[in-house]
């Protein structure tokens, strides 16, 4: 009598775990490193572009977290392609739970009393107070955290809806269209919602001109990144097809399209 196959021997299960893990780690990491703002022109070694939008001028500045979000878009669309609405929603809620879990422990870490010798341990590196630096980096405001979570969930829900709307209209053709189209709509909402909650409703009370200018610049970057990632989307699709085999790959896509 042959033994029944174990769950973790199923290639579809392994694929889902792998995709979900990479999406979650990118989402959580983006939240934690997003506290740093970088200047794009300085990073590339070029002169500031001095953009002018809604009466605001300056160089192109982004949170470091924006470097990781394009990978989240690709992973979301890949999960959508093979595991459908239920798969994306499940992973999105897991990602949010992990983000909240991470920030709770970050706040707990800030509150515990630091060792006296540790506070000044990095003075030679130009950090006179390690505790103050730790608290400033990991103690992001509740408005920023709340804005990020609300924007992420809204973006994921919209991404799923638009992705499957395009899929129903085009069938299995035009993978790039449903991936880029869903990102275009979902990130339009995400880019504006997160900054509105964090910096307009939040304690900084940005003027609307600054909010609209920075949100537009961030959205423009995300869309350029999404277009640039199209080859990676196709590469992942090819690798997954090779891993699953034609029969299993087709079955997953059919199931994903129906849920």
């Amino acid at each position: 009598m042959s033994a029944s196959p174990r769950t973790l021997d199923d290639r579809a299960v392994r694929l889902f775990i792998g995709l979900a893990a990479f999406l979650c780690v990118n989402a959580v990491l983006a939240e934690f490193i997003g506290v740093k703002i970088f200047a794009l022109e300085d990073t590339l070694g070029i002169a500031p572009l001095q953009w002018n939008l809604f009466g605001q001028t300056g160089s192109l500045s982004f949170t470091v977290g924006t470097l990781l979000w394009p990978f989240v878009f690709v992973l979301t669309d890949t999960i959508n392609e093979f595991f459908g609405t239920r798969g994306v929603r499940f992973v999105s809620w897991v990602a949010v739970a992990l983000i909240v879990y991470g920030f709770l422990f970050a706040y707990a870490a800030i509150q515990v009393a630091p060792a006296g010798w540790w506070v000044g341990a990095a003075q030679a590196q130009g950090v006179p107070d390690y505790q103050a630096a730790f608290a400033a980096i990991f103690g992001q405001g509740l408005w920023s955290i709340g804005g990020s979570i609300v924007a992420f969930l809204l973006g994921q829900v919209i991404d799923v809806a638009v992705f499957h709307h395009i899929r129903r209209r085009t069938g299995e053709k035009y993978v790039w269209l449903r991936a880029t189209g869903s990102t275009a709509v979902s990130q339009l909402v995400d880019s504006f919602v997160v900054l509105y909650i964090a910096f307009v409703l939040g304690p900084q009370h940005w003027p609307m001109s600054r909010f609209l200018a920075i949100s537009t610049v961030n959205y423009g970057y995300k869309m350029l990144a999404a277009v640039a990632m199209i080859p990676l989307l196709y590469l992942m699709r090819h690798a997954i097809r090779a891993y699953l085999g034609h029969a299993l790959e087709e079955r997953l896509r059919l199931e994903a399209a129906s849920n």
Side-chain angles (χ1 to χ4, degrees), residues 13-30:
V13 173
R14 289 183 177 183
L15 175 64
F16 184 74
I17 292 172
L19 292 172
F22 275 104
L23 187 150
C24 288
V25 75
N26 275 278
V28 174
L29 187 57

Side-chain angles (χ1 to χ4, degrees), residues 213-236:
I214 294 179
S215 297
T216 301
V217 168
N218 274 268
Y219 176 66
Y221 162 79
K222 289 179 179 179
M223 284 311 303
L224 287 174
V227 172
M229 298 287 272
I230 289 176
L232 178 60
L233 184 70
Y234 277 91
L235 182 63
M236 288 183 64

Side-chain angles (χ1 to χ4, degrees), residues 63-76:
T63 72
V64 177
T66 59
L67 298 176
L68 289 171
W69 284 116
F71 294 100
V72 175
F73 307 156
V74 170
L75 290 163
T76 296

Side-chain angles (χ1 to χ4, degrees), residues 5-142:
R6 293 181 299 178
T7 300
L8 288 181
D9 288 336
D10 189 304
R11 293 199 169 199
V13 173
R14 289 183 177 183
L15 175 64
F16 184 74
I17 292 172
L19 292 172
F22 275 104
L23 187 150
C24 288
V25 75
N26 275 278
V28 174
L29 187 57
E31 296 292 346
F32 277 90
I33 68 174
V35 68
K36 179 176 180 177
I37 307 297
F38 75 98
L40 181 62
E41 299 98 315
D42 291 344
T43 302
L44 298 177
I46 61 177
L49 299 178
Q50 293 299 325
W51 55 268
N52 190 324
L53 286 172
F54 302 101
Q56 299 287 313
T57 60
S59 60
L60 296 173
S61 299
F62 305 93
T63 72
V64 177
T66 59
L67 298 176
L68 289 171
W69 284 116
F71 294 100
V72 175
F73 307 156
V74 170
L75 290 163
T76 296
D77 291 330
T78 303
I79 293 172
N80 223 344
E81 185 78 23
F82 293 98
F83 298 98
T85 302
R86 292 180 63 191
V88 174
R89 288 179 177 170
F90 175 78
V91 175
S92 298
W93 280 110
V94 172
V96 167
L98 291 173
I99 290 169
V100 173
Y101 177 83
F103 277 117
L104 286 175
F105 271 88
Y107 276 103
I110 291 170
Q111 299 306 314
V112 296
W117 60 267
W118 178 80
V119 172
Q123 288 184 359
Q125 287 79 45
V127 183
D129 189 332
Y130 231 158
Q131 171 65 13
F134 185 92
I137 292 172
F138 289 103
Q140 297 184 44
L142 291 177

Side-chain angles (χ1 to χ4, degrees), residues 51 53-57 195 199-200 204-218:
W51 55 268
L53 286 172
F54 302 101
Q56 299 287 313
T57 60
L195 292 178
F199 299 111
V200 177
Q204 295 191 33
H205 298 300
W206 279 5
M208 288 303 294
S209 58
R210 181 184 300 171
F211 159 69
L212 291 172
I214 294 179
S215 297
T216 301
V217 168
N218 274 268

